[in-house]
Amino acid sequence: MSDKKIRNMAEFAIACGISRPTISKYFNDPDSIKPSSRAKIEEALGRYDYRPNIYAVNQNRQMTKNIGIVVPYLADPFFAEMVRFIERLFIDTGYSPSLFSSHGEQKLEMEILDSLRAMKPAGVLLAPLGRISNHKAIEAFCSNVPTVLFDSNLEGIGEAFIGSDNHSFISQTVEYLTRTGEPPCFLEMKHPANPNANKRREAYLSIMHDLDFEPHVVSLDGTGWGFEEIGHQGGIKLLQEKSLPTRTVLCSNDRLAIGFLAACYERGVRVGRDESDDLRVASLDDHPFSRFTCPSLTTAAQDYMSVSKHAVETLFRLIECGGRFEQREEKLFPAKLILRESA
Amino acid sequence: MSDKKIRNMAEFAIACGISRPTISKYFNDPDSIKPSSRAKIEEALGRYDYRPNIYAVNQNRQMTKNIGIVVPYLADPFFAEMVRFIERLFIDTGYSPSLFSSHGEQKLEMEILDSLRAMKPAGVLLAPLGRISNHKAIEAFCSNVPTVLFDSNLEGIGEAFIGSDNHSFISQTVEYLTRTGEPPCFLEMKHPANPNANKRREAYLSIMHDLDFEPHVVSLDGTGWGFEEIGHQGGIKLLQEKSLPTRTVLCSNDRLAIGFLAACYERGVRVGRDESDDLRVASLDDHPFSRFTCPSLTTAAQDYMSVSKHAVETLFRLIECGGRFEQREEKLFPAKLILRESA
DNA sequence: TAAATTTTTTTACGCGTGTAAAAAAACCCT
DNA sequence: AGGGTTTTTTTACACGCGTAAAAAAATTTA
C-alpha cells in the first residue's frame, strides 16, 4: 500500500496510467472496459485505497444506488430479522441500503420519508406504521419514489405489496386447534397498530362462520407497540375474571401471546396440549423468541426469507420498469404451521 | 403551495428575492442572517418545497452532518432499544444518523466501516462485535473518523468508551442472592462474542473470592448470537445431568437466561424465590423481554437512557475537539437491581 | 496489409452548493 | 445627517465526478 494519498479520480487515473473517463466507466461497470485496462485499475486499487466520492457521484446521477428500508418498529425482533435478510440481498447486488425505523411514531415516519426524498434513492422498501400512518403523505411519496410496501398493506398505495396471507395463517391454526381439541377464541388488541390485525380478525370470523362455530373475539385495551405488556395485563385480567370464553386461545400475534403466556404462568394456569392442562394457546408469526416461551409457542410461521427475497426482487423489477407497474401487484405468502408445546 | 418547481438554490433565491449566498448561510445556520431575511426565506419555504441537494452540500464540506451508528446485532432488542434513544438524540440536534448492523459478522462490520468512511461522517458511535472484530482495522478507522465506542470495549481503541460497569452488575446481584439465599454459580457461554462476558466472569470470580465463597463457573458450548438457544440447550443438558453446582444461578446475560428458563420449564424445574421452588435464577441487562419470562426475570438493569445520552454527548464533545481527546475517556454506568419473580 | 470496428483518450462542460473577497446596501448610534 | 458597523449582494472559483463529442489508438476482420 503506497502512502501517497489519492485525492480524486484524476489523481487515481494518473496512478493507473489510464484516462479519467475510463476509470469512471470502470466504477460504473467493471465489465464495460477492456480486460487489460481493468487489470491495471484493479492492480492500482491494491496499491492505493481510492474510492470515488459518493457525494460527487450521486450529484450527477439521475438515480443513485441507494435503497431505503423503512420499518415501523425496529425493537420488534420480527422486523429486525426481516431487515437482516433484506439488507444482505441489497448489498450483494451492489446497492447501498439505508435503514430507518419509525419507532411507532407518525411524525418520525414522515421525517424519514423526507430524508429519503432528499437522498434520491433508486427505490424504497417500506413497511408503514399502518393505521396511524399519514396515508396521503405516503401516497405522495410513492408517486415520486419507486416504492414497494411490505408487511403492512395500505390499500392502493405504492406499486406493490408483499406480505403474509393472513387467511392462511388463521385457517391453518384454527383447523389444527379444532381438529385436535376445540375451536379457539381469538385474542387481539382493540386498537391494533397494524392492518394485519384487522385482516386476521376478519379471517377468524369468516373461517369460524364457514365451519359453523360460534366465534369469540376477545379484544384487549391498550395502544402502542408494547404488545407483550398489553397481552400480559389483558391476560391477568381475563384470568382473574375467568372471562375467557373457551379453553383454547388463538392470539393475533406472537408478541401478544408472549405477554399472555406470562400472565398464565403468573396466575398458575397451565398451558399445553396435555389433557391435564388448563389452556391451549397458539399464535401467529413465528417470532424469533417464540421457541423460548414457557411453554414453547405453537404458531404459524412467516417465511421471512421468501418474503424478503420477493420484496427485494419486486423492487428491482419496479426500478427497471422506471418506477411504474401496469397494475399494482400484491403477493401474499402462506403460513407454515409450527407445532410446539403450547397447543 | 405553488406548483412551480424549484430546481436549485439559485431559483429558490430568486423566489425569495434574496441572494443565493444568503440562502446558503440560512441553511447552515438560520440565526446567522438578519431576522427580516430569515422571515422572507421561511415564508418562501412555505410556498415552495425546496430543500438543498444533500449531495451537492456534502461534496464541498470537509465534514458532513452525518453520524454513523453501528451495532453488532440489531435483532437483539437490547441494541434496538439503545438505537431508539440514540437516533432520537441525534435527530433533535440536527444531525442525520445512519444505522448499521454488523449482524454478527466480521466481514459485514468491515464493509460498514468502509461505507462509513465514504460518507465522511462528523462522527461515529460504534458498538463493535468484540472478540471477532478486526481490531487493527477498527483502530485504523478510529484514527481517521471521530469515533466513540459503546457497549463493548476494545482496549485503547477509539477516543472514548461508554458502557456498563460489569463489576457493579455482578456485585449487586451476587450480594442480593447471597443475602437472601446462597451464593450463585455463574452461567456463561464458553466462547462469548462480547468482551462484557469476560469482564463479568472476572468480576464474579473476584467478588466471590472477596466474600470467601467458592466460585462455580458453568460454561456452555455454542457460538454466535443465538444466545437463547445456547442457554436453552445448555440448560437442558445441565438439568438432565443434574450437574448444576448450586441451586442459585446467575446468568451472564438476560438472553442466556431466557433460554435457560425455557429449559427449566421444559424439565419441570420450578424457578422462583419461594422455598418450594427448585432453583433461583437471576441475570444481567434488563432485556426488554425479561419482564415476560416465566417466571419474570430478576436482573440488573442497564440504564439505556443514561448510556445513550452520555455516548451522544461524548461524541459531540469529540467532534468539537476536532476528533481527539487528550486522553481516552472511559465511562461506566452502574446497574440497578430489578427484583422480579425468578430470584 | 488495409479496412472496419472497438476501445480509449482528449477536451470540455455541467451538476448544485460552499465560500472567499470586494462592493453595495442597510442598519445603528450619536 | 453623518460616520461607523453589520449584513447582504455581487462576482467568481472550487469541489469531484458524469458524460458527450471528436480524435486517436488499439484491436479485430476481411
Side-chain angles (χ1 to χ4, degrees):
Chain A
M1 181 77 70
S2 166
D3 44 19
K4 183 178 185 304
K5 289 269 164 81
I6 301 284
R7 308 200 151 277
N8 54 38
M9 197 179 272
E11 285 186 23
F12 183 66
I14 292 168
C16 293
I18 285 186
S19 75
R20 191 175 68 75
T22 306
I23 307 282
S24 175
K25 268 192 101 179
Y26 168 80
F27 279 110
N28 284 302
D29 178 8
D31 290 321
S32 68
I33 65 172
K34 198 167 44 161
S36 68
S37 307
R38 180 173 168 178
K40 272 195 219 166
I41 294 173
E42 283 169 352
E43 181 268 337
L45 229 33
R47 283 185 293 138
Y48 309 93
D49 65 338
Y50 167 74
R51 291 185 53 159
N53 178 313
I54 54 169
Y55 300 110
V57 169
N58 285 329
Q59 175 168 349
N60 292 337
R61 264 212 245 279
Q62 62 293 37
M63 182 158 293
T64 67
K65 280 279 193 177
N66 296 328
I67 296 283
I69 304 172
V70 188
V71 297
Y73 199 76
L74 204 44
D76 182 337
F78 168 77
F79 288 109
E81 195 70 11
M82 203 79 164
V83 161
R84 222 177 78 192
F85 290 118
I86 293 176
E87 275 195 333
R88 157 89 27 231
L89 291 171
F90 280 122
I91 290 172
D92 290 347
T93 42
Y95 281 83
S96 301
S98 295
L99 175 58
F100 299 88
S101 166
S102 309
H103 297 311
E105 298 172 31
Q106 191 204 56
K107 196 182 154 218
L108 215 53
E109 190 174 61
M110 291 297 95
E111 287 174 17
I112 290 167
L113 296 190
D114 271 352
S115 325
L116 276 175
R117 238 189 290 257
M119 58 200 289
K120 306 187 196 305
V124 170
L125 229 46
L126 168 64
L129 287 168
R131 192 171 51 84
I132 65 164
S133 284
N134 181 338
H135 290 230
K136 272 183 203 155
I138 292 183
E139 189 162 24
F141 177 84
C142 292
S143 68
N144 292 328
V145 182
T147 304
V148 168
L149 299 192
F150 73 104
D151 181 66
S152 159
N153 198 5
L154 305 181
E155 293 298 339
I157 297 181
E159 295 296 307
F161 169 72
I162 287 87
S164 49
D165 179 353
N166 290 300
H167 195 277
S168 143
F169 276 67
I170 301 281
S171 69
Q172 291 198 48
T173 44
V174 168
E175 187 277 330
Y176 164 73
L177 293 172
T178 304
R179 178 163 51 79
T180 57
E182 58 164 3
C185 68
F186 186 70
L187 185 67
E188 61 156 20
M189 295 187 299
K190 194 175 286 169
H191 304 293
N194 189 297
N196 286 318
N198 295 319
K199 295 247 172 60
R200 288 175 177 185
R201 186 201 312 111
E202 285 162 24
Y204 169 78
L205 291 172
S206 116
I207 288 165
M208 290 293 275
H209 178 265
D210 291 351
L211 296 174
D212 240 359
F213 293 128
E214 193 189 345
H216 300 278
V217 173
V218 181
S219 296
L220 301 180
D221 281 325
T223 54
W225 287 77
F227 299 173
E228 294 86 4
E229 186 56 40
I230 293 171
H232 179 242
Q233 294 206 349
I236 294 278
K237 201 170 157 220
L238 286 169
L239 297 172
Q240 252 169 355
E241 299 171 350
K242 295 188 196 295
S243 54
L244 271 178
T246 58
R247 287 185 49 219
T248 305
V249 178
L250 176 58
C251 297
S252 175
N253 66 68
D254 279 359
R255 293 182 58 199
L256 205 62
I258 288 170
F260 183 69
L261 287 179
C264 292
Y265 185 90
E266 254 178 76
R267 300 288 306 165
V269 174
R270 284 196 310 274
V271 175
R273 56 179 156 211
D274 205 80
E275 294 213 349
S276 64
D277 291 319
D278 303 313
L279 214 55
R280 302 176 75 201
V281 176
S283 182
L284 309 167
D285 283 345
D286 195 27
H287 187 285
F289 283 20
S290 58
R291 297 167 57 197
F292 304 105
T293 53
C294 300
S296 59
L297 192 55
T298 287
T299 186
Q302 300 252 18
D303 186 347
Y304 291 71
M305 196 49 167
S306 298
V307 174
S308 309
K309 262 193 182 153
H310 195 264
V312 170
E313 183 258 324
T314 304
L315 184 56
F316 282 146
R317 268 194 301 119
L318 180 61
I319 292 169
E320 275 167 22
C321 295
R324 285 272 168 261
F325 284 147
E326 306 220 339
Q327 200 183 345
R328 187 170 189 272
E329 289 188 13
E330 227 169 90
K331 168 84 177 177
L332 303 181
F333 282 82
K336 208 171 74 186
L337 194 65
I338 306 280
L339 290 187
R340 297 206 186 93
E341 299 301 318
S342 70
Chain B
M1 182 76 73
S2 167
D3 42 22
K4 185 178 182 306
K5 289 270 164 81
I6 302 284
R7 308 198 153 278
N8 54 39
M9 197 179 272
E11 285 187 23
F12 182 66
I14 291 167
C16 294
I18 285 185
S19 76
R20 191 175 70 73
T22 305
I23 307 282
S24 174
K25 267 191 102 179
Y26 168 81
F27 280 109
N28 284 302
D29 178 9
D31 290 322
S32 67
I33 66 173
K34 199 168 39 162
S36 68
S37 307
R38 181 174 167 178
K40 272 196 219 167
I41 294 173
E42 283 169 353
E43 181 267 338
L45 229 33
R47 284 185 292 137
Y48 309 94
D49 65 339
Y50 167 75
R51 290 185 54 160
N53 179 313
I54 54 170
Y55 300 110
V57 169
N58 286 330
Q59 174 167 359
N60 292 338
R61 264 212 244 280
Q62 62 293 36
M63 181 158 294
T64 67
K65 279 277 194 178
N66 296 328
I67 296 282
I69 305 172
V70 188
V71 297
Y73 199 76
L74 203 43
D76 183 335
F78 168 79
F79 288 109
E81 195 69 10
M82 203 78 164
V83 161
R84 222 177 77 192
F85 289 118
I86 292 177
E87 274 196 332
R88 155 87 31 230
L89 291 170
F90 280 122
I91 290 172
D92 290 348
T93 42
Y95 282 82
S96 300
S98 296
L99 175 58
F100 299 88
S101 166
S102 309
H103 297 310
E105 298 173 32
Q106 191 204 57
K107 194 181 154 218
L108 215 53
E109 190 173 61
M110 291 297 96
E111 287 174 18
I112 290 168
L113 295 190
D114 270 352
S115 322
L116 276 175
R117 237 189 291 259
M119 60 200 290
K120 305 186 197 304
V124 169
L125 230 46
L126 168 64
L129 286 168
R131 192 171 50 85
I132 65 164
S133 283
N134 182 336
H135 290 229
K136 273 184 204 155
I138 292 183
E139 189 162 23
F141 177 83
C142 292
S143 68
N144 292 328
V145 182
T147 304
V148 168
L149 300 192
F150 73 104
D151 180 66
S152 160
N153 197 6
L154 306 181
E155 293 300 337
I157 297 181
E159 295 297 306
F161 169 71
I162 286 87
S164 49
D165 178 354
N166 290 301
H167 195 277
S168 142
F169 277 66
I170 301 282
S171 70
Q172 290 198 49
T173 44
V174 168
E175 186 278 329
Y176 163 73
L177 293 172
T178 306
R179 177 164 49 81
T180 57
E182 60 165 1
C185 68
F186 186 71
L187 186 66
E188 60 156 21
M189 295 187 299
K190 195 175 287 171
H191 303 294
N194 189 297
N196 286 318
N198 295 321
K199 295 247 172 61
R200 287 174 179 186
R201 184 198 318 109
E202 286 161 24
Y204 168 77
L205 291 172
S206 117
I207 287 165
M208 291 291 277
H209 178 265
D210 291 350
L211 296 174
D212 238 359
F213 294 126
E214 192 189 346
H216 300 279
V217 173
V218 181
S219 295
L220 301 181
D221 282 324
T223 54
W225 286 78
F227 299 173
E228 294 85 3
E229 186 57 40
I230 293 171
H232 179 242
Q233 295 205 350
I236 294 278
K237 200 169 156 221
L238 286 169
L239 297 172
Q240 251 168 356
E241 299 172 349
K242 294 185 195 296
S243 55
L244 270 178
T246 59
R247 286 185 51 221
T248 305
V249 179
L250 176 58
C251 296
S252 175
N253 66 68
D254 279 359
R255 292 182 60 199
L256 205 61
I258 287 170
F260 184 68
L261 287 179
C264 291
Y265 184 90
E266 254 178 76
R267 302 287 307 167
V269 174
R270 284 196 311 271
V271 175
R273 58 178 154 213
D274 204 80
E275 294 213 349
S276 64
D277 290 319
D278 304 312
L279 215 55
R280 302 176 75 201
V281 176
S283 181
L284 309 168
D285 283 346
D286 196 27
H287 187 286
F289 284 19
S290 59
R291 297 168 57 198
F292 305 104
T293 54
C294 300
S296 59
L297 193 54
T298 287
T299 186
Q302 302 251 17
D303 186 348
Y304 291 72
M305 196 49 166
S306 299
V307 174
S308 310
K309 261 193 182 152
H310 195 264
V312 170
E313 184 258 323
T314 304
L315 184 55
F316 281 146
R317 268 193 302 119
L318 180 61
I319 292 169
E320 274 167 23
C321 295
R324 285 270 169 263
F325 284 147
E326 306 220 340
Q327 199 181 346
R328 186 170 190 272
E329 289 187 12
E330 227 168 272
K331 167 85 177 177
L332 303 181
F333 282 82
K336 209 171 74 186
L337 193 65
I338 306 280
L339 290 187
R340 297 208 186 91
E341 298 301 318
S342 70

